[in-house]
Amino acid sequence: MRVADNNILRKIEQYIEENRERIIEDLSALVRVPSVQSAAEKDAPFGKECKRILKETKKLYEKNGFATTVSSDSKYALSFLEGEGKTIGLFSHGDVVPADGEWEICKPFEPIVKDGYVFGRGCNDDKSGIVQSLYAAKMIKELKLPFKSRLLMMTGSNEETGMADILSFAENEKMPDASLVLDGEYPYYGGEKSSIKFDIISKNRFHVIKNISGGKVYNIVLGEVKAELEYSGSLFDELNEICKGNAAFEFKKLCDSIIITAKGKSAHTANVDESRNALVLLSNMLAGCKSIPQIERDILGEISRFVGNGHGIGFGIEHTDKDFGQLICSNGLIHTEDQKLVVGFDVRAGISFDTEDIKANILKATDKNWNVEFKRISKGYLIDNTSRTAKMISDVYGEITGDTEKEPKLTSGGTYARALSNAYAIGTVDYRFAPLIDLPEGHGGVHQPDEKISVEGFFGALKILVCLLLELDCMG
Ligand SMILES: [Zn+2]
């Protein structure tokens, strides 16, 4: 590190020591806002709690002396530490994923501190970033650390469900010269896959199959689907024969319908290989049912081929990128509209397969029997690890933590970094300080029940952040 000498490091540590409780209370106050997306309202495009988190952030920053404005479209807040020369951006998001699952340690929006951790929805992802940005700016100002640039701190409110906030930022604001996105991992994400979310809609209408439905979001593989079929004695008997002893299916007669539930195994898009798609199980089974008209069985057969093993073979987009590995094409949604099936997919691909080419292949494969609606498309990126900024970040991280082995990770997930330029998605937890703790499996992580962040890990990351900013400032 060129700037942060021992004297500066000591000042940072002392400041954190003196303000520990206050910082954790500021984090807890933000966690108390249940900022999950809900129906749009006037001046609240992502619902009132997502708007409220922007207001609370504004209040917090202004109380600490940093001018803050909420964008005119109410999608993000911008706070500033004024300076001169270049602008350095810090990005975090205040919206959170729903507090699903069984919470054992605390109620999701009533955070507590226990066993060296803060618990609560969003304490890590990503309200930790909002509070670290604030206190990094405060330390620069109050400790009079050597820093000349203008610091822009952006808080978004739609990161988890569409990223319309960062797209609006990119469209309406001047791009900072360099940015850190406090929503990734150390030393930084080396790149992110592109993402294409799209629906295919059958051109033919279904008759015997009245309805198939399942899933809530594109990026979770369908673990369960339900189908409703027109009742006939022959179909019921045939299903009885096919499903005998097969635990994946349950079916029953209800009035003049047969209701079938198929159960597979759900997983995040990124872990598609660990999933078993329930729609494939259902489609394969029904496609073999002679009591269903051939035309409907053919369409089911196509669905099964398109979903396939989650790597896009059916769409002709199977591909392996030398850096990012195998393309993923997972299916998370299905519903019936006007007797037509609407099936939703999520593609994640390395940057060597252009999103336009992927789209063209999908259109070609579906041309005959399906219409396609492309929903959200974002390009991926790959960071040049030999660039000066990339090396500086690795060096600072390595010097402070002693961890010089950690490689930049490539990810299937998305952060704001993909919509920015010269941006690096770094961590908000220094895991060296995270104490061991016993939690049930599937608890404690981001997006999980009992989401947590290590208190010391949080402060460790804050120290890394201040050092990164001092170095970024003095880079030519
Ligand atoms: Zn996040």
Side-chain angles (χ1 to χ4, degrees), residues 93 95 124-126 159-160 182-184 414-415 446-447:
H93 64 90
D95 59 310
N124 184 337
D125 184 14
D126 183 38
E159 199 273 348
E160 300 287 3
L182 308 182
D183 192 20
T415 71
V446 298
H447 297 199

